[in-house]
Structures are given as C-alpha cells and as structure tokens.
Amino acid sequence: MASKNKIDQEVIDKIVSFLENMEYGTVQITVHDSQVTQIEKGEKYRFALKKNNKPLKTVKDE
C-alpha cells in the first residue's frame, strides 16, 4: 500500500549521511503512523586475536 506522506528531505539526508560515513554496521529506521520517528546507527569494529607476538590486524566483515 503506497503512502501519500512524503519523507522529509532532512530525514533522507541524515540516512544518506549515516550510510556514507559507515564502513560496517547497521542503520535502523523506526516508522510510526507512516512517518519516520527515529534513526539509529550501529557500527562494528572487529579485531583479530594477537598470535605469536604479531600485531593486531583489523578483520573486515563480508
């Protein structure tokens, strides 16, 4: 069912900004009565375990 409500440009800009500035993670959009009421960003960083005195290396999720 298509909504007649338009999404505010400020909301769209914030979502795009979150996505552009995130390497790995999630963006959660909460909608109430057909309107975006909240946007949450969760970023994730993982590090490989240090073995044999080798330096830590960042592991990328795929």
Side-chain angles (χ1 to χ4, degrees):
M1 180 174 174
S3 175
K4 294 181 182 181
N5 295 334
K6 299 262 183 185
I7 299 173
D8 186 45
Q9 188 62 44
E10 181 181 8
V11 172
I12 294 170
D13 292 343
K14 180 56 79 175
I15 294 168
V16 170
S17 174
F18 278 4
L19 293 172
E20 288 177 340
N21 295 303
M22 179 184 302
E23 190 170 349
Y24 298 99
T26 60
V27 174
Q28 182 175 334
I29 302 166
T30 303
V31 177
H32 182 74
D33 289 334
S34 300
Q35 293 184 355
V36 175
T37 58
Q38 181 171 306
I39 305 166
E40 294 181 52
K41 174 174 78 167
E43 293 189 74
K44 184 184 295 186
Y45 298 94
R46 292 186 179 185
F47 301 94
L49 293 176
K50 186 177 180 180
K51 294 183 181 179
N52 299 327
N53 294 326
K54 293 180 182 176
L56 292 174
K57 177 177 129 183
T58 301
V59 176
K60 293 184 178 181
D61 292 341
E62 294 185 33

